Structure formats: structure tokens, C-alpha cells
Amino acid sequence: MSTKKANLVFGTLLTGAVVTSLLQTSLTTALPQIMRELTLSAATAQWLTSAFSLTMAIMVPMTAYLIKRFTTRQVFLAAMILFTLGTLISWWGQNFNILLLGRIFQALGSGIILPLTQVVIMTLYPLEKQGTVMGILGLASGAAPVIAPTLTGIVIDSWGWRSIFLMAGVISVIIIILAFCCVKNVTPTEKIPLDYISLLLCTGGVTGILLGLSSLATNFMVSLFELIIGAILLAIFSKKQLNSSEPFLNLRILQKPKFRLAVIISMLLYAVMMGSSTIYPILIQTVMKKSAVISALIMLPGSLAMALINPLTGKFYDRFGINKLAIGGSLMLLISCWGVTLINSSSQLLLLGGLYLLRLLGVGCLMMPIVTWGMQNLPQEEVAHGTALLTALRTLSGALGTAILMEIMTSATHFNNPHVTANYAGIQFTFAVMTGLALIQVIISLCKFKKN
């Protein structure tokens, strides 16, 4: 395929990835409004973001099968149609259940598009260009989810939170029309059966773990039961994959040390990134009593920096490798999390914005370079499985991180004041936990990446 045609295919898939990724965290800024309009608690409302991540984590392992079984064009169009349907359901939804259903349909499509785009990059482009192109993709997988709260803060203050879904739905329809003309088939296909048992085991296990962790503090015995069931199902799933000659998801690639390290770093990063992205708007709007526009403006410099730095870090990786990016990015993430534990007044709003900027610079240094580095250490025939596994695990980590950190924030807040949704004490404690996760990431980076 010529460079022009390859860029056209990639550009169309990238546009779809950007739109679907924007919707992943678009509701974080809108959550305070949705909570008031639909009379929801913070623990209930967070499921609009956690259920999205959970569904993605379940759907992503399917992409290894879908990419091998169907053409690139078929997979992309099906994913965009699912996403568009979910977006329109969410726009129309009059209560929490319908809104949640729409979010699940959105995630079904979103969970396919990003892994598909990564596989297309690893197939279309030579090794020396993959870091740069993956850096551009970082606008979707890294920058878009963190830019979304900033953009939606401005939109919802002007037209309400439903306008987010209407705008995304219109753009998605345009992308579907464009895909019919531009997307060509890139990867080879083969008729392979779908392992329904593995799919059910994976779905049940992931759901059990997330449900159990998200309500551990409020209903301990039920949560413990859900955790045990989830763990058993995932153990059976893992054993089945390891013993299968044609696994649903090839877990044996985790035996490769560099790929395994990329997965661990990505999971820690996503737990902190997605959790803090949900809590920042609550801190600014609910605790500091600022508007959604103020929340958006405080986060705007960081979001812009994230968008700008992703292509640059891709070029830096192509030239210098992963070492400095991994260590530097991890240190920035650590400092930014620790800094929020010192915030206790609305007069520190500018400091909070500076910490948000530093956090996103750290995320930009890590997000796509670590994925590229991990994928380049796999043989070409395992790229689809590697992309699906890495994306699934980091997405699951983001969902778990958000659910657990929101539960920690709620419990710490109620310990201090049972009559409010969130306060400084609860958020400080939650960011102290994130600081611990970031510290683990720094230690791993210092110990491992100096050798690579």
C-alpha cells in the first residue's frame, strides 16, 4: 500500500479513535450536573465512567478475534455504528438506567477501535516510524480522554450535558460515511471459531472483580463474594488460555519480560490517570464551589500540553528510546499527585492547575512510548493479541482505579463529615493513595529502565 493510502486509512481510524476516546471521560466534568439533575450519589454516578471502562475491558480481548476473523473495514464500521447508537441513546436518555445503557453501547464500539488502530499502525508502517505514528495516535488514547473534561466543561455550561452526546453523534455519522470511502483492508483474515466459553469466563471474571471492589466499603460480605467469584472465573479463564493451542487471548506473551513490564507500567498509569481525571472536577466544582467553565479553564493548559507533547514524545522515542521518558514521566506523575495532598483552599486554584499540567506532561511522556516499546518486543503474528491484552488490562486498571478511588474518597469524606459528598480531607487522602501508586511506578522505572 502506498504511503498516501496508508495515511488515509490511518487518518480515518485516528478520527474515530479521537471521538470515541473523548466520550470515555467526557462525563467527568458533567457528573456534578448529572448528579443534581438525576438525584444520584457520587458512588452511583461514577458508574457512568466505570461501566464504560469495564465494558471496554471486556470488549478489547474480543478484538484479537475480530481483527483475524473480519476485514479492517468491517470491524471499523461495526464499531462506529455501535458507538453512534450508544451516543444517541445517551442523548435521549431520561434516567440513569437509559444513560448507563447508552454508555455501554458506546464502550462496545470504543473498545474495538483503539486496538484496531494500533494493529494497523504496526502493520502499515516501518519500525523506525512506528514511534512517531503511535505518538500521533496518543492524541486519541492519551490526550483525548484528558482533554475531554476541559472541552465538555465549556459545552455543558452553554448547552447542557446532553449536547455532548448530540455533537459526538453527528461527528460519528460523518466518520461512518468517510469510512465507506477511505478505509481499506489491511490485515489478513481467516475463518476461526469464537471461543464463547472463554468470552463468558472473561466477562464474568472482570465484572465480578469490579463490582466487588467498587462497593467493598458499603457492603463487605456481598463484595467479598463477588470478588471471590470474579477471581475464580479469571483463574479458570487464564488456565484455559495457557493450555489452548489457539487461545481466545494469548496470555503466554506475558512471559516476555519487556512486554510484561510495559503492561505493568501502563496499568499503574491508567489507574492514577483515570481516577484523578474523575476526582479533579469534583474537587473544583463540588468542594471549591467553582463553575464547570472555571473547572475547564483550570485544566485547559494541561490538556493542551498533553495534545502537543504526544507527537513530540513519539519522535523522541524513535531517536533516544524509552529510558528517559519512562523515568521522567513517572517522576512528574509522582510530584503532581503528592502536590494535591497539600491543597486545602479554593485560593490554591492556580497551584492545582499547575499540578494538573505537570500530571499530563508525565502522562504524555509515558502513554504511547511505553505501548510502542512493549509492542515492538513481540513478533508480528502476536501483535493483535498483544494490543488486545495490553489495552484490556490498562483499561480494566483504569476502571478499577476509578471505582476504588471514588470509594476511598467517599469513605474518607464521610469519616470526616457524613453529610457531604466530598471535602478536602477525603480528596487529600485519596491523592495520598495515588501518590503511593505513582511511587511504585517510579521505583519500577528506576530499577528496570536503566537496564533497557
Side-chain angles (χ1 to χ4, degrees):
M1 185 180 292
S2 67
T3 302
K4 183 178 180 180
K5 288 183 178 180
N7 289 339
L8 190 58
V9 172
F10 169 64
T12 306
L13 267 64
L14 175 66
T15 306
V18 169
V19 173
T20 56
S21 295
L22 279 170
L23 264 290
Q24 184 175 357
T25 55
S26 62
L27 287 195
T28 55
T29 304
L31 278 182
Q33 273 196 19
I34 294 173
M35 287 161 60
R36 288 193 298 269
E37 184 175 322
L38 302 182
T39 318
L40 304 174
S41 67
T44 300
Q46 65 88 22
W47 275 103
L48 296 174
T49 55
S50 291
F52 188 102
S53 296
L54 169 63
T55 306
M56 277 189 65
I58 293 170
M59 196 63 191
V60 166
M62 276 283 291
T63 59
Y65 165 79
L66 293 173
I67 291 169
K68 288 186 175 182
R69 178 64 180 83
F70 302 101
T71 67
T72 308
R73 196 163 180 262
Q74 289 172 332
V75 175
F76 181 71
L77 283 170
M80 284 305 305
I81 290 169
L82 280 171
F83 177 81
T84 305
L85 176 63
T87 301
L88 296 176
I89 290 173
S90 297
W91 167 65
W92 173 77
Q94 300 298 310
N95 58 51
F96 173 76
N97 291 332
I98 295 176
L99 187 56
L100 183 63
L101 178 65
R103 293 290 284 170
I104 290 171
F105 270 98
Q106 290 169 31
L108 289 174
S110 184
I112 298 171
I113 291 174
L114 187 59
L116 173 65
T117 308
Q118 290 176 351
V119 171
V120 167
I121 290 172
M122 305 301 285
T123 304
L124 284 180
Y125 293 94
L127 190 67
E128 63 273 12
K129 291 185 178 180
Q130 288 175 2
T132 300
V133 182
M134 288 287 270
I136 296 172
L137 179 61
L139 292 170
S141 63
V146 294
I147 290 173
T150 301
L151 296 177
T152 54
I154 297 171
V155 171
I156 64 174
D157 260 19
S158 302
W159 300 293
W161 59 267
R162 293 183 190 277
S163 60
I164 302 168
F165 298 114
L166 182 59
M167 293 169 65
V170 171
I171 295 171
S172 298
V173 170
I174 295 172
I175 294 172
I176 290 172
I177 296 171
L178 185 64
F180 273 106
C181 304
C182 300
V183 175
K184 307 299 179 183
N185 299 324
V186 174
T187 55
T189 60
E190 56 180 305
K191 291 186 177 181
I192 52 176
L194 176 61
D195 187 346
Y196 292 99
I197 295 177
S198 291
L199 177 60
L200 290 173
L201 288 171
C202 179
T203 301
V206 169
T207 304
I209 293 292
L210 183 58
L211 287 175
L213 289 174
S214 65
S215 58
L216 197 59
T218 55
N219 199 334
F220 179 77
M221 292 307 296
V222 173
S223 297
L224 184 61
F225 176 75
E226 291 169 339
L227 285 170
I228 292 172
I229 295 298
I232 291 173
L233 291 176
L234 285 180
I236 297 172
F237 170 79
S238 299
K239 184 176 181 180
K240 191 174 190 303
Q241 306 317 299
L242 293 172
N243 293 334
S244 174
S245 58
E246 294 185 6
F248 175 73
L249 188 62
N250 187 3
L251 301 183
R252 287 189 288 270
I253 56 178
L254 287 171
Q255 295 173 351
K256 298 182 181 298
K258 291 184 177 180
F259 179 75
R260 183 172 64 245
L261 181 58
V263 169
I264 293 170
I265 294 293
S266 294
M267 290 179 69
L268 288 169
L269 177 64
Y270 254 64
V272 174
M273 184 185 82
M274 299 305 294
S276 56
S277 292
T278 304
I279 293 173
Y280 258 95
I282 293 174
L283 170 59
I284 297 171
Q285 294 180 54
T286 303
V287 180
M288 293 184 169
K289 309 297 183 185
K290 305 297 181 181
S291 68
V293 169
I294 295 297
S295 175
L297 291 175
I298 288 297
M299 294 187 286
L300 180 60
S303 300
L304 291 175
M306 178 75 173
L308 292 172
I309 198 175
N310 267 283
L312 298 177
T313 55
K315 289 181 180 293
F316 188 95
Y317 170 80
D318 280 338
R319 185 170 181 181
F320 300 107
I322 192 65
N323 303 46
K324 292 181 176 63
L325 288 170
I327 295 171
S330 298
L331 285 170
M332 284 189 276
L333 199 66
L334 173 65
I335 295 168
S336 65
C337 289
W338 171 76
V340 180
T341 66
L342 307 177
I343 299 291
N344 57 15
S345 168
S346 60
S347 63
Q348 297 172 301
L349 204 56
L350 290 178
L351 173 60
L352 186 64
L355 292 169
Y356 190 80
L357 170 62
L358 184 64
R359 181 177 77 95
L360 294 194
L361 287 174
V363 171
C365 288
L366 285 161
M367 178 67 67
M368 294 315 296
I370 199 71
V371 172
T372 308
W373 180 76
M375 297 303 298
Q376 286 179 345
N377 285 282
L378 293 178
Q380 184 62 40
E381 62 271 16
E382 296 294 353
V383 166
H385 281 280
T387 300
L389 182 58
L390 192 151
T391 307
L393 289 175
R394 72 180 187 182
T395 303
L396 176 59
S397 180
L400 293 175
T402 300
I404 295 169
L405 291 168
M406 286 291 284
E407 193 72 27
I408 289 172
M409 185 197 75
T410 301
S411 299
T413 297
H414 289 171
F415 181 81
N416 183 262
N417 186 346
H419 304 296
V420 296
T421 303
N423 60 15
Y424 286 112
I427 287 175
Q428 286 172 342
F429 184 80
T430 307
F431 270 88
V433 174
M434 289 190 223
T435 302
L437 293 175
L439 179 60
I440 294 172
Q441 184 175 310
V442 168
I443 293 170
I444 293 173
S445 298
L446 288 171
C447 292
K448 296 293 184 179
F449 284 110
K450 284 186 177 181
K451 301 176 183 178
N452 294 305

